[in-house]
Amino acid sequence: GGFTITLPPAATSGGLCVYVKRTDTVGANILDIASSGGLIEGSSSAQQGPGVSVQYVSDGTNWWELANG
């Protein structure tokens, strides 16, 4: 089954970094990243693939991916 992680509002999280690491390797499972305020790389949500870790940072308006690997 899939999971959703919701980032806090970008407007109240300026400078905050959130690290998300997906440790499973099952491609059928979906990990959605949602935002409770602001966009993520210009979209309302993002998906994270198996075995991937991503660092999200808020600029006080939106969320951006600093590292994806």
Side-chain angles (χ1 to χ4, degrees), residues 10-65:
T12 58
S13 303
L16 178 68
C17 291
V18 177
Y19 298 90
V20 178
K21 181 175 182 178
R22 183 171 167 181
T23 58
D24 75 307
T25 57
V26 180
N29 294 332
I30 296 173
L31 176 57
D32 287 313
I33 310 296
S35 172
S36 56
L39 299 175
I40 302 170
E41 289 288 328
S43 297
S44 59
S45 65
Q47 289 190 342
Q48 200 162 317
V52 173
S53 60
V54 180
Q55 177 184 359
Y56 298 94
V57 66
S58 169
D59 65 4
T61 303
N62 294 299
W63 289 96
W64 301 98
E65 293 180 3

